[in-house]
Amino acid sequence: MHHLYRAYGLTIASELQLPELLPADPDHGAPDVTVTCERIPPQGLAGGTQISPFAWVNGNAFWLRVPNVSRFLVTDASRIVVDPEPGIDEASVRVFMLGSVLGALLFQRGFLLLHGNAIEVDGKCLVCLGPSGTGKSTLAAAFIRRGYRVLADDVVPVDAHCAAVPGFPRLKLWQDSADQLEFGTDGLTRIRPKLQKFNVPVPGRFCDDALPVRWVYILDNDNKDSIRIDPIVGMDRFQPLRANTYRRHFMEGLSLRPEHLKQCGELAGRVHLARVTRPRSGFDIDGLVDRLLADTREAG
Amino acid sequence: MGGIFWLASYPKSGNTWFRSFLSNYMSDSDEPVDINQISVGKIASHRLWIDNVIGFDTADLTQDEITSLRPVVYRWKHMEGDVSYHKIHDAYTYTREGRPLVDDVATVGALYIIRNPLDVALSYANHRGTDIDQAIAFMGDPEHALSRSVNALSQQLLQYMGTWSFHVRSWTEAPGLNVRIIRYEDMHTDPENTFAKAVEFLGLQSDPARLERAIRFSSFDIMAAQEQQTGFRERPARAERFFRKGKAGDWQDTLTNTQVARVVADHREIMTRFGYLDASGQPV
């Protein structure tokens, strides 16, 4: 029995329930991606290249093991195989399946994948990038509370026309962020049973259309007291995009490096790019939203 | 033969000073290295380092799972084949599977920097933006850790340290670990010898002229002046300055008798062993 979903512009037929995703229309036709549960070689890909202690690539195949959770195999940009460890909960499998694994598939489909979130502002897309722990999801939640819609959180695929492609209507929020933004966590499911981090569905605040990326902000923080926005210009525009590519090492392992550099260059040529530095702690998240919105208006 | 040298210490024990020295020594330039560009390897608890290597997010893992993965990451780094130097504040501990957190295969050695806990208390209080009593309590807390929150995410992974005494013992008595101990106080009073021994231990070519210059370029005055001019990225927001006084023995003017007595009571054995208490048990 397959469940039909859509995400990133793809129809996904899955043996595994993926309640974070939107349901797809059953009359849509052949799915773009299938997700099945089958056995996967336990020790990587024979004849392939090991690109991490837990990941292998071989031609069009990508193999990933999350210890004590599951093994995953992504092939031909269209098939995902999941091989969960005995006794593991489905939520834990889904966290990695919807993150790194779907990410690898999107790489295989030729997207530039940015590590950040995508927000609709005046029919265009604002993207905030940064590593884990820089407050991307919290910022996305703050935009939602202000009435804005998100296209994606964590992984932002950018297509050949420099448009951000919508993912699915879900944020992952830590308890502290949820409290700060007054998103009650009663009744929400944890992303994994033992983590104080919640799946926050945002169906009414989801933008389901691909939108041209207009503004890209690199999130940073330091020990100063104020929020600063510094435009990034000239030759310096390329490196931050490359550095904030989602799972850059995977992409390089998948031999997509030249294509990736080209995509970063094209995007760098089209967007308003700036570094946003905010205080490491004790700052006003709404103030940050205001500053970003003001900067988008100024940049046009 | 590649591998990792750990630059290990309890916080506020001279680790940044040492890394500044090492960075100056390795760059061997005519100008002091910028304190914001200290080019020694990443801290062991750097979340992005771990995430980049494993290929999924530590943000989606439990603490035990992260701890189990860390030695795997260091071994992967070791397989790159070069020697690297990494700061670490974690105590020397083991995963649930009994494997050293820092991985015994990846580890070439550990330089452990120790500082009089009476001065650490003072400096740690400033660093954490707490009062001295709180810092002393942290140093005596068997559960003490950095970046501990389970309700939010930090760019640093949790670093379990335990008490100050436990931290010292964990590194200096770790079975099979190639460890060299240097005292912060000796970095002050006898820099030539202390840094020269460290350089030798870290497998670097010794060169007296280079050594002299690197010591000079990493002096407190130069680093404090740089912080004054440009700020220092590693300064916590709650601390006014990172490079505060940079001296040994400041506790004598600052700690109360009760505070001194408490630190001594908490850490007597280790303080005695490393010369911070005299034969009659008095702090020196």
Side-chain angles (χ1 to χ4, degrees):
Chain A
M1 169 66 195
H2 278 79
H3 308 274
L4 272 184
Y5 302 103
R6 61 199 169 91
Y8 303 112
L10 305 170
T11 307
I12 300 169
S14 174
E15 286 181 13
L16 211 62
Q17 285 197 30
L18 303 171
E20 292 83 359
L21 306 190
L22 288 172
D25 180 353
D27 301 329
H28 182 278
D32 304 297
V33 178
T34 58
V35 179
T36 55
C37 297
E38 296 168 47
R39 302 306 297 173
I40 293 174
Q43 306 293 348
L45 295 173
T49 308
Q50 189 173 13
I51 58 170
S52 130
F54 305 105
W56 290 73
V57 291
N58 189 3
N60 291 325
F62 170 81
W63 180 101
L64 178 73
R65 177 170 76 93
V66 180
N68 303 317
V69 176
S70 183
R71 287 187 293 272
F72 301 94
L73 183 64
V74 184
T75 45
D76 300 322
S78 60
R79 285 191 64 216
I80 294 173
V81 182
V82 180
D83 186 0
E85 293 288 332
I88 188 71
D89 60 288
E90 284 197 11
S92 294
V93 175
R94 286 202 305 276
V95 166
F96 301 101
M97 148 90 202
L98 297 176
S100 294
V101 176
L102 212 41
L105 181 125
L106 293 167
F107 270 132
Q108 291 181 344
R109 295 187 83 90
F111 289 104
L112 168 63
L113 286 202
L114 296 174
H115 194 194
N117 58 44
I119 318 284
E120 176 193 17
V121 176
D122 295 336
K124 285 171 279 189
C125 187
L126 176 161
V127 173
C128 296
L129 304 179
S132 285
T134 44
K136 296 186 300 292
S137 293
T138 308
L139 183 59
F143 270 104
I144 284 176
R145 198 175 58 163
R146 295 278 290 268
Y148 289 85
R149 300 195 300 170
V150 294
L151 288 83
D153 187 35
D154 203 28
V155 184
V156 180
V158 176
D159 69 15
H161 311 289
C162 293
V165 176
F168 46 95
R170 189 274 313 255
L171 299 183
K172 294 190 288 186
L173 284 186
W174 288 90
Q175 182 77 59
D176 283 0
S177 297
D179 291 349
Q180 183 195 356
L181 292 159
E182 295 161 341
F183 280 79
T185 52
D186 290 350
L188 295 184
T189 58
R190 292 165 192 262
I191 65 154
R192 295 187 63 195
K194 287 185 184 161
L195 293 183
Q196 293 288 94
K197 191 179 179 187
F198 297 89
N199 277 310
V200 183
V202 290
R205 290 280 159 225
F206 179 63
C207 174
D208 208 358
D209 302 308
L211 294 176
V213 178
R214 179 67 198 101
W215 310 277
V216 177
Y217 295 97
I218 311 295
L219 295 181
D220 205 345
N221 55 67
D222 69 6
N223 46 25
K224 305 210 168 67
D225 301 328
S226 59
I227 296 169
R228 302 187 311 283
I229 301 186
D230 304 304
I232 304 173
V233 294
M235 295 295 285
D236 294 340
R237 295 165 64 77
F238 181 78
Q239 181 54 23
L241 294 176
R242 177 161 179 264
N244 285 287
T245 300
Y246 186 74
R247 304 272 172 263
R248 177 155 62 95
H249 298 80
F250 284 11
M251 180 270 311
E252 290 174 351
L254 290 164
S255 309
L256 297 168
R257 197 156 178 272
E259 183 59 20
H260 176 237
L261 298 182
K262 188 166 153 255
Q263 290 169 325
C264 287
E266 271 178 26
L267 188 65
R270 287 207 196 184
V271 298
H272 169 71
L273 183 63
R275 181 173 305 279
V276 183
T277 312
R278 49 100 173 154
R280 231 170 252 159
S281 57
F283 70 104
D284 167 24
I285 187 92
D286 272 320
L288 180 57
V289 170
D290 287 332
R291 288 288 302 275
L292 289 171
L293 290 171
D295 195 70
T296 62
R297 285 190 292 268
E298 203 175 297
Chain B
M1 162 72 192
I4 295 175
F5 275 107
W6 300 104
L7 309 174
S9 73
Y10 201 85
K12 308 312 290 177
S13 299
N15 206 313
T16 299
W17 180 12
F18 187 84
R19 284 180 303 122
S20 170
F21 160 79
L22 187 59
S23 189
N24 276 292
Y25 191 84
M26 294 197 298
S27 79
D28 196 23
S29 138
D30 294 337
E31 295 280 322
V33 169
D34 181 339
I35 49 169
N36 289 306
Q37 308 284 335
I38 293 178
S39 57
V40 174
K42 298 179 189 75
I43 188 167
S45 47
H46 197 276
R47 183 184 296 279
L48 188 58
W49 176 13
I50 311 296
D51 284 9
N52 278 343
V53 170
I54 62 177
F56 40 91
D57 287 338
T58 47
D60 295 330
L61 299 177
T62 65
Q63 191 49 54
D64 282 343
E65 287 171 336
I66 295 171
T67 302
S68 293
L69 290 180
R70 285 178 58 183
V72 180
V73 170
Y74 305 136
R75 184 160 314 181
W76 183 259
K77 169 79 188 164
H78 153 75
M79 283 159 52
E80 288 175 4
D82 50 354
V83 170
S84 56
Y85 305 92
H86 298 273
K87 169 180 170 177
I88 185 166
H89 286 320
D90 300 82
Y92 190 98
T93 57
Y94 298 83
T95 68
R96 277 183 305 181
E97 299 80 22
R99 185 171 176 182
L101 178 74
V102 296
D103 188 54
D104 45 354
V105 172
T107 299
V108 186
L111 185 76
Y112 189 81
I113 307 171
I114 186 172
R115 183 184 188 186
N116 188 339
L118 294 164
D119 279 337
V120 172
L122 198 54
S123 189
Y124 197 38
N126 173 69
H127 189 75
R128 297 290 300 250
T130 64
D131 59 32
I132 293 171
D133 287 323
Q134 180 62 60
I136 291 171
F138 283 149
M139 293 168 67
D141 177 3
E143 298 301 319
H144 192 48
L146 302 173
S147 309
R148 176 186 285 287
S149 178
V150 295
N151 290 326
L153 194 66
S154 154
Q155 285 171 265
Q156 288 288 315
L157 299 172
L158 178 140
Q159 299 144 74
Y160 170 74
M161 300 196 299
T163 69
W164 178 84
S165 290
F166 172 82
H167 195 276
V168 175
R169 298 185 61 159
S170 77
W171 281 97
T172 59
E173 298 173 9
L177 179 68
N178 171 32
V179 64
R180 175 71 57 97
I181 304 159
I182 60 174
R183 297 190 342 144
Y184 176 88
E185 293 73 18
D186 297 336
M187 290 160 67
H188 271 285
T189 55
D190 187 8
E192 287 77 13
N193 268 316
T194 310
F195 285 109
K197 279 184 193 151
V199 161
E200 186 194 2
F201 176 72
L202 297 176
L204 296 163
Q205 203 177 14
S206 75
D207 174 342
R210 225 168 122 182
L211 187 75
E212 181 277 324
R213 189 159 60 175
I215 290 171
R216 194 155 35 87
F217 283 173
S218 59
S219 71
F220 178 82
D221 289 347
I222 287 189
M223 291 196 288
Q226 286 189 8
E227 179 175 25
Q228 183 80 24
Q229 268 183 0
T230 59
F232 183 38
R233 268 198 79 88
E234 293 182 32
R235 173 182 67 85
R238 50 202 163 192
E240 227 172 88
R241 280 169 299 160
F242 187 93
F243 300 104
R244 205 175 46 95
K245 289 190 178 166
K247 65 187 219 187
D250 198 29
W251 63 271
Q252 299 183 41
D253 303 323
T254 322
L255 263 60
T256 66
N257 289 341
T258 317
Q259 288 169 333
V260 171
R262 177 151 177 222
V263 172
V264 171
D266 284 352
H267 306 293
R268 185 182 307 277
E269 187 193 335
I270 300 295
M271 288 181 74
T272 306
R273 191 187 308 171
F274 289 95
Y276 299 123
L277 294 178
D278 66 17
S280 62
Q282 291 304 303
V284 288

